[in-house]
Amino acid sequence: MAPYSPLEKRPIAQTLCLFDVDGTLTPARKSISAEHVALLSRLRQKCAIGTVGGSDYAKQQEQLGTASVQVTSLFDFCFAENGLTAYRLGEPLASQSFIKEYGEERYAQLAKFILSYIAGLELPFMRGTFIEFRNGMINVSPCGRNATSDERNRFEAYDKEHNIRKTFVEELKRKFPDSGLTYSIGGQISFDVFPDGWDKTYCLRHVEDEAKKPNGIDFKTIHFFGDKTYKGGNDYEIFTDPRITGHTVTGPEDTAQQLKKLFDL
């Protein structure tokens, strides 16, 4: 691994680049390419870099790391589950819990409704794991998260035509109007559910805390690169946050091209 200067000694020390994972650094649920790892390494020589994704840490490791390389060694900041699980220079930061915030009884009511709604759907196929329980959120997949890559592509196309996820979210909002929950569509087959304010902007709490640490950085410029930056997409809130300079990308290759142009890589 290339040696990196301390954060405060990098050439663009007060700049941080944050990246969504699926559709930005990698194809959906697939691994990052060696070329993109090398590009990010060159960027890290200039400024701080970090990931912010809705998936849990294990999935970030699966997509961005290897059996011998931890994802936390490739990025200065790793924000899994929107930052509810977070690492700075390989060290864990404070975490939050969805179930502690929302409560067992309320969650049981929500989960029962979700499962009954899915049971009534007519889809081209259904697999397993319709609710994935994570530390800071739940992930709901109408077709099931066990779908193969080809099946994910099929469902994504079907969803674009029939608005399965959008309609599902609208029904949840109608059924639980005072839940205090946010519903965020992302990836190909699912949407996230988490307490209001726990979207991807949550990671910025850690970024702001960075300035308070010994040798910490007060980041003046924070770039965010993501593909689901439209309203209702899981990148929308952070993309439109006034603290962020947002960049919409169409995939990993577009991300690479934008980075090369912005940072002369």
Side-chain angles (χ1 to χ4, degrees):
M1 185 177 68
Y4 301 104
S5 301
L7 295 178
E8 71 276 10
K9 293 185 178 180
R10 296 190 193 171
I12 320 174
Q14 291 184 307
T15 291
L16 169 64
C17 288
L18 293 174
F19 300 91
D20 168 53
V21 181
D22 276 348
T24 300
L25 293 180
T26 75
R29 295 298 300 124
K30 294 186 178 180
S31 298
I32 193 170
S33 70
E35 291 78 13
H36 284 81
V37 171
L39 180 69
L40 290 170
S41 179
R42 296 199 298 274
L43 176 62
R44 194 177 178 190
Q45 298 285 352
K46 295 189 173 189
C47 66
I49 66 172
T51 63
V52 52
S55 295
D56 59 23
Y57 176 78
K59 289 187 177 64
Q60 284 200 12
Q61 174 62 31
E62 177 187 332
Q63 291 180 259
L64 301 175
T66 67
S68 59
V69 178
Q70 290 296 308
V71 63
T72 52
S73 71
L74 300 174
F75 296 86
D76 301 298
F77 298 93
C78 289
F79 300 125
E81 300 184 59
N82 297 344
L84 298 166
T85 299
Y87 293 84
R88 175 192 184 270
L89 300 176
E91 296 298 322
L93 302 174
S95 64
Q96 289 284 4
S97 166
F98 172 85
I99 202 66
K100 287 183 180 179
E101 178 76 11
Y102 197 62
E104 292 284 3
E105 184 175 345
R106 296 174 73 199
Y107 172 64
Q109 294 174 355
L110 177 67
K112 288 176 182 177
F113 178 81
I114 287 171
L115 292 173
S116 66
Y117 184 93
I118 290 174
L121 289 173
E122 295 292 337
L123 300 177
F125 63 89
M126 299 182 85
R127 297 298 178 256
T129 311
F130 301 103
I131 300 177
E132 183 175 81
F133 187 86
R134 300 174 181 171
N135 181 58
M137 66 181 72
I138 61 171
N139 179 267
V140 179
S141 175
C143 67
R145 292 194 59 85
N146 291 354
T148 65
S149 292
D150 286 344
E151 289 167 345
R152 286 166 180 262
N153 292 336
R154 284 175 57 199
F155 178 83
E156 183 179 30
Y158 186 85
D159 186 46
K160 286 179 179 178
E161 182 179 355
H162 298 282
N163 292 312
I164 301 299
R165 289 183 290 176
K166 181 181 178 182
T167 302
F168 198 162
V169 165
E170 289 171 351
E171 184 61 17
L172 282 165
K173 290 179 178 178
R174 187 197 65 78
K175 179 69 175 178
F176 302 97
D178 302 314
S179 66
L181 294 174
T182 293
Y183 307 90
S184 184
I185 296 172
Q188 295 177 291
I189 63 169
S190 64
F191 58 89
D192 295 328
V193 184
F194 45 80
D196 292 343
W198 287 21
D199 52 59
K200 285 186 178 177
T201 61
Y202 188 93
C203 77
L204 299 179
R205 303 185 193 189
H206 296 297
V207 174
E208 291 180 339
D209 286 344
E210 168 67 19
K212 305 171 187 175
K213 299 179 184 296
N215 297 320
I217 306 297
D218 181 11
F219 290 108
K220 301 298 185 185
T221 303
I222 306 172
H223 295 277
F224 172 77
F225 298 81
D227 64 317
K228 298 288 194 302
T229 57
Y230 50 82
K231 190 169 185 178
N234 66 353
D235 296 326
Y236 176 77
E237 289 84 3
I238 191 169
F239 179 78
T240 58
D241 190 283
R243 295 167 288 183
I244 292 293
T245 299
H247 307 270
T248 301
V249 302
T250 58
E253 293 305 321
D254 186 35
T255 302
Q257 291 305 314
Q258 291 196 38
L259 288 175
K260 289 175 183 177
K261 183 176 180 180
L262 280 167
F263 294 97
D264 192 26
L265 297 173

